[in-house]
Amino acid sequence: MSDVNSGELPELSFTLPTIPASAGALVRGRKGRLLILKPTYKGGWTIPGGVVEIGESPWEACRRETREESGLDVTTGRLKCVDFLRPRPGRPGGMRFLFDCGVLDDAVLAAVVVQPVEIAESRILPIDEALPLLSGPVRRRVRAAWKTKRVLYLEDGRRVQGISP
């Protein structure tokens, strides 16, 4: 037994687990097109989005990252899916939130201005052309969320047996 005075609790020390989170945006154009971005810091293409910062909600992160990476100010959105990515060597895993930010006019999409430090190029492609360019987990997440009217729960971009949409 320790020297704890009667009526005092011992000081406990523990660390709460943390799960990284990020948020992405489906920014759609007319005729089933999708805005995709080519990052400078990794291979392949992705959608606007990034890490949820401390004190920030996933929706706030989605809006901030979309504005930073493309110059677009998305003001409406709808949660399409939450995707749990398991940690792997070189990848911390975490929770990925995907929001559908609606169909934007061609004139708005033509005004995309990429942030050159992070984004080398942008394209607005038909979904069937965009999907093969996206990295595996992003591609699976976008494909699953593209046409659904419901919010999906995914793991590694895939539906989970026993979890209904």
Side-chain angles (χ1 to χ4, degrees):
M1 199 70 185
S2 66
D3 293 346
V4 176
N5 293 333
S6 175
E8 289 183 24
L9 296 176
E11 186 174 319
L12 299 176
S13 177
F14 58 91
T15 303
L16 292 174
T18 59
I19 299 175
S22 68
L26 293 178
V27 176
R28 298 180 291 126
R30 304 210 182 279
K31 300 179 184 174
R33 296 178 307 144
L34 177 68
L35 172 64
I36 60 172
L37 306 173
K38 176 90 170 114
T40 58
Y41 54 89
K42 65 181 179 179
W45 290 75
T46 192
I47 57 175
V51 173
V52 177
E53 294 179 355
I54 294 172
E56 185 177 52
S57 75
W59 173 238
E60 291 166 339
C62 175
R63 292 190 66 209
R64 176 184 50 76
E65 287 285 349
T66 301
R67 188 172 43 256
E68 287 176 2
E69 294 176 347
S70 70
L72 297 174
D73 186 20
V74 293
T75 57
T76 61
R78 182 171 169 273
L79 182 63
K80 294 294 276 192
C81 73
V82 177
D83 188 7
F84 173 74
L85 291 182
R86 295 184 191 286
R88 293 192 334 219
R91 186 183 84 182
M95 303 300 293
R96 306 296 187 258
F97 295 85
L98 180 59
F99 294 91
D100 184 339
C101 297
V103 176
L104 302 183
D105 289 332
D106 290 345
V108 173
L109 291 173
V112 165
V113 177
V114 297
Q115 179 189 55
V117 172
E118 283 189 51
I119 307 299
E121 182 182 351
S122 70
R123 293 185 185 171
I124 303 156
L125 298 175
I127 189 65
D128 293 339
E129 293 177 33
L131 283 173
L133 298 175
L134 299 174
S135 68
V138 175
R139 179 178 51 248
R140 289 190 298 271
R141 189 176 313 126
V142 169
R143 181 181 290 131
W146 185 253
K147 291 185 180 179
T148 187
K149 299 286 186 204
R150 298 177 176 222
V151 177
L152 300 176
Y153 171 75
L154 306 172
E155 291 181 2
D156 293 314
R158 297 177 179 92
R159 290 191 180 191
V160 178
Q161 187 173 358
I163 304 293
S164 60

